[in-house]
Amino acid sequence: MSHVLSEETHRNMLARIPHCTGREVSDWLRTVDEGPSLFRFEEKVSWLRHEHNLAYGHAKAIIHEYDLRRAARKFL
């Protein structure tokens, strides 16, 4: 299954996460960072869904954002 989202769809999903989950995206990113060391995208999404009872789309957007930011840190 592809995890590619358009930039607009991704930003819209991120904008809805605080309202739908009661937590800011930065809190979710910290949760992922402190969570188990999983390698595959879908493993991370599945962990968030089951451990924190998130909808698939929200978990997917959080992991996508986490991966984008992690990749950006490597280039700084």
Side-chain angles (χ1 to χ4, degrees):
M1 179 178 298
S2 174
H3 64 271
V4 177
L5 299 171
S6 74
E7 183 66 25
E8 182 179 3
T9 299
H10 178 64
R11 293 289 156 215
N12 288 338
M13 287 294 291
L14 287 180
R16 288 194 303 265
I17 286 172
H19 174 72
C20 295
T21 68
R23 291 177 62 185
E24 294 296 322
V25 172
S26 59
D27 293 337
W28 285 114
L29 297 175
R30 193 170 27 262
T31 297
V32 173
D33 199 42
E34 295 170 354
S37 296
L38 302 170
F39 295 103
R40 290 181 33 237
F41 182 87
E42 287 298 328
E43 288 176 323
K44 296 174 196 175
V45 171
S46 182
W47 173 75
L48 265 185
R49 290 184 67 213
H50 294 98
E51 188 70 24
H52 298 282
N53 200 31
L54 288 178
Y56 177 76
H58 293 143
K60 185 174 167 180
I62 290 166
I63 298 301
H64 183 62
E65 183 67 15
Y66 178 82
D67 288 347
L68 288 173
R69 291 184 186 195
R70 188 167 152 224
R73 286 193 307 248
K74 289 181 180 181
F75 291 109
L76 295 177

